[in-house]
Amino acid sequence: MPAALRRLNLVRLAPLLWLGPAIALIGVVVLWPVVVMVQSSFQQIGGEGFVAGYNGTKNYAHLFNEPDFVSVLLRTLVWVVVVVAVTVFISLGLAQLFHQQFPGRRVARWALIVPWAASVMMTALIFKWALDPNVGVINVILHHLGVVKQLGSNRADWLGNPTSALAWMMGVAIFVSLPFTTYAILSGLQGIPRDVYEAASIDGATSWKSYLGVTLPLLRPAILVATLINVINVFNSFPIIWEMTRGGPGYETATSTIYMVELKQGDVGQSASMSVINFLLVIVIVLVYLSTTRWKEQVDQ
Amino acid sequence: MITTTKPAPRVAARAGTAPRARRPLRTWLVAGAAYLIAVIFLLPYLEMLVMAGRPNNELGRATIFPSHFTFSNFTTLWSGGGLGGSIGTSLQIAAGATVIVLLVALPAAYCTARHRFRGRTAFLLLVLTTQMFQPAAMLVGIQREFINFGLPPTLSLIIVNAGFNLAFAVWILNAFFSSIPVELEEASMVDGLGRVGALTRITLPLAAPGIVTALIFTFISAWNEFLVALTLSLGESPTQQPLTVAINNYIGQYSVDWGHLFAAGLVATVPVIILFAFIERRVVSGLTAGAVK
Amino acid sequence: MNKKYPRRLSGAALAAAAALALAACSSGSGSSSGGGSGTTTLKLVVADYGTGPGNASSKYWDGIVTAFQSAHPDIKVNVTSIAWTNFDQQVQTMIQNKQYPDITEGDYFSNYAQDGLLYSASDVLSNPGNLLPGFKNQGTFNGTQYGMPFTTSSRTLFYNKKLFTQAGISSAPQTWADVQADAAKIKALGDVGFGLPLGAEEAQAESLLWMLGAGGGYTTDGKYTINSPANLEAFTFLKGLVAAGDTEPNPGTVNRTDLWQQFAQGKVGMINGSPALIPIIQKAGVLQSSDWTSVPIAGKSGPLTVTLGVCDNVAAFKPNGHQAQIKEFLDFAYQDKYQLQFDKEYDLLPATTSATKALSSDPVFAPFLTALPNSVQYPSDTSWANIKTKIQQTIGTAVTGSPATELGQLQQIASASAS
């Protein structure tokens, strides 16, 4: 039967049957919104969602003229770079640690994934409450330690001051990104054969040198993928900032995603143009990163 | 049990005495550090547990532990004004998205794994790149597109979540199907099973771990999704909104009843954590597949 | 490797999920206004005035709805109640999603009227003349009234007499200088001198009170003058107050709801409040009625003679086409007994002339009622929606950054959209 069917050209189309629903779903849900988004960014759409007509590039001009636009973009870049870099750095160490053999390793590893499984929003809320100036548990502990002299004071209001708020939120973002990154690097470590290390130590390399010279390069693919996925997730990170400060005060802790959502309330067209810029920014960052790490060697199957 | 010359820059070997005594000491130091870190990772969620048991009248007190543990926050979850109804809605959305993803991804992944057809690379590339698309980034597009469809919000959310998790499912299922030798299927067909029989009796069971992984990953991802749910489900009454949205709306009412909120959070989070424990290893290998090996 | 277990798990999960998905589809369609068997369902979206689950606004409305539904068996009403800090954004998103409510009670924007989304007051009320005439203007667009006042209130200055005595202050604050001096003394006690909520929940109200104190306001002669010299003066004063630590830290991130709770706990010296603060104080049980009192709001050189008259509106939406049913419901809900019930529950003021008359002999409410006709209100043009959002989000930075820059930016937005 298969041989006969193969001669018919219909067989060429058979994959379409199998792939069709998948392509359709991806097309409708993932690809088409990009088109709608770009289209909307050129239309005049008020806060009620009614399209009033074509608006040319006015939405973009309006957006670039917003007083907070530049600071939001800069802050977003800082946010992404710091969170991803620190996450990868800490994860390298954590992975190394959890790669060792020790009793109870499975349980300890399991604890690592908890922040990943728990919703980011819930984690953000826990920290928001814990940083409450009057009753939050972090402040209470710091108060006992003498770091925070008085509950309810400015020192205890971590989330009210943009700088300390950003620092804490970055901490939370790093915290929720650590599990995946650590596991990615762990699986990379597990793929490195033992004899590589033995060869290195025979050559007289110290453990630090062999880490830098042997382990890290072999970990490159894992680090690459982990960083990429982290960049994309962190860039679009919404729940943390939304729940902890709503981007406030003003827009001083807002990243581009938060800004886009805030804009949507008053002007959907402008919000769409912010989305497009956001989108392009991610693509640019990813491309830049890929080009600097010569990805093609790694991913070729 | 053999900790030989593995490089471990984080934990320098202490200047031990005899080589025999050095090993256990170092192992215990490593273990200690690991346990400490594990506790740190669990701390926020333990705090959530502590808060969920805090009586209402102690919310304003600046103490670390409540005076006693109470279950009242849990029991009020399903009464009026509780968040329990939303748990049901979240369940519908997550389960619906999971079903759709499985129904769509299985045939696609199987076909891709078994046949080398024209456009296969293009399809795989499509799948790979869409993994990078996040719903939050395309919020405006999604909202405007789905308004025109006029579907009930729960159904829209099912479709959106299915769409965004499809790529990962296809990717991981493709890897699993590829690793199952074709000879097994062909051998069973020779034995008299039809093609369908070979599929269901041989291939699917062998790919079961991958299927379960894709299933649970999609479920958790849809369960925790926030921004699109927030945007699309606002027109519904609170029990028709998914849990993430209901919790968000709960904040900002009066002064927040954190105890009740964290009780709901616990009910929402703990099962998910347990589910995730089953699949974590494969998720990572699935996400990094093709790059690491 | 246990092969059977995951398979059964997958199978069971698939079956369960399929069932749930089907259930989702069927229940999802039933929630909208299904008019199949002659019953119409009205979607009522209300703001939450409650201070806790015990007196949540949904309870008040559920009472009316139950009574209404038994009197009108062919009309069903679904109530959704939203916290104030989310209200505008969520109603706006609902409208963007074309998930139109039938009736909203809370804030209302003339943009909706401009887009043709609303019924006029005379379309859905039998006696629109009963609505307080003083608030007719701010609900009017193009000469027709669309926003129907539902409840009103006026603002006064509340202060903690106990803290004042402890700090050695003998008289109520009347001028800004008083406020500053008193706040500093209370700060020395370790409490918050003046509670200044400039967070996104209601920053526009608090800001207006201070602007009025300097003789300014959002508009002058119908045009927006957000960065007028008087307003700048007000915010420069506030900036000094914040810098000296006489207020709570980072006012731009603090909402009225939280500060009112703190006042009720006895931790704040002075705060601008409305009668709705009274039940919060009583519920907290920390302050006795002799420990606090309310006086006119302090202005730059003396107490304010005008106050901020806040009015929350009902708006009736056209797209679902339920005009007749909406009219039945609103006529029912606006009865005096329900107005009075709402006012007594939340210590707010009525919005109809008849209810006001019924309440005028009540000693608690009388003084606030007499101040109402003389009140200043928010602007009511179609650009207010956008400006209000920006004010809520950003005006807090005017007291930590530069008032001239922040108010200037707001004025820019106002001029651009009002043109």
Side-chain angles (χ1 to χ4, degrees), chain B residues 41-92:
Chain B
F41 271 70
L42 286 178
L43 265 183
Y45 309 96
L46 293 175
E47 181 57 38
M48 187 162 74
L49 179 63
V50 167
M51 271 308 285
R54 184 177 281 240
N56 269 2
N57 53 8
E58 292 191 22
L59 280 180
R61 288 209 221 137
T63 54
I64 299 184
F65 291 108
S67 58
H68 61 277
F69 196 92
T70 171
F71 281 103
S72 62
N73 288 318
F74 291 95
T75 51
T76 51
L77 270 183
W78 270 266
S79 61
L83 293 170
S86 303
I87 295 182
T89 309
S90 278
L91 203 59
Q92 285 178 2

Side-chain angles (χ1 to χ4, degrees), chain B residues 235-253:
Chain B
E236 301 291 307
S237 62
T239 45
Q240 292 283 80
Q241 292 171 342
L243 191 62
T244 43
V245 179
I247 289 184
N248 174 67
N249 293 345
Y250 202 68
I251 316 271
Q253 276 183 349

